[in-house]
Amino acid sequence: MDLVIFLPLIIIMGLFMFFASRRQKKAMQATIDLHESLQIGDRIHTTSGLEGTITGITDDSVDLEIAPGVVTTWMKLAVRDKIEPETDEDEDFEDFDDEESTATEITESPNKKD
């Protein structure tokens, strides 16, 4: 009787552990792929929110230019993601938003009585 209760619990726990480890492996592989794809000239975000341009790369660290002439050295593990360059489509979408927000005008209703 006890085996009937514990066997499904053990199976559920095993499945949970399997899927949790799979998710962790995928996240770890994505981080490794990001660090291997870094190149000089790439714009990146660090885990602390700093933006910079890569000026040098070693096995464990990257040199980031955070302002003109200011270069700092960071561990590769501090790189969170790359900043992708804006495309023409992104700029067109921003222009559309600006035009739409200024194009409408509010007027008084002709049925309003004073």
Side-chain angles (χ1 to χ4, degrees):
M1 181 75 173
D2 291 334
L3 184 61
V4 174
I5 294 173
F6 288 116
L7 188 59
L9 288 175
I10 291 172
I11 292 172
I12 290 172
M13 293 282 289
L15 288 173
F16 175 75
M17 290 175 60
F18 172 75
F19 286 115
S21 68
R22 253 182 87 187
R23 189 175 338 134
Q24 184 179 11
K25 285 179 185 178
K26 283 183 181 182
M28 186 180 279
Q29 187 61 46
T31 301
I32 290 169
D33 292 344
L34 170 67
H35 292 164
E36 289 177 351
S37 72
L38 295 176
Q39 299 177 2
I40 293 176
D42 286 345
R43 299 260 317 142
I44 57 109
H45 283 123
T46 64
T47 54
S48 62
L50 186 74
E51 293 182 14
T53 303
I54 297 176
T55 60
I57 301 175
T58 65
D59 287 339
D60 298 329
S61 64
V62 292
D63 294 331
L64 297 180
E65 183 174 26
I66 56 175
V70 180
V71 178
T72 58
T73 302
W74 294 73
M75 290 176 49
K76 272 189 178 178
L77 293 175
V79 176
R80 184 180 67 200
D81 60 8
K82 283 186 186 180
I83 302 171
E84 298 299 328
E86 289 188 18
T87 62
D88 291 337
E89 293 174 5
D90 294 339
E91 293 171 5
D92 292 341
F93 184 71
E94 289 174 6
D95 292 342
F96 178 74
D97 286 345
D98 291 342
E99 291 172 6
E100 185 176 312
S101 63
T102 58
T104 57
E105 185 176 318
I106 300 173
T107 58
E108 288 187 27
S109 173
N111 298 334
K112 184 178 178 183
K113 296 180 182 177
D114 289 323

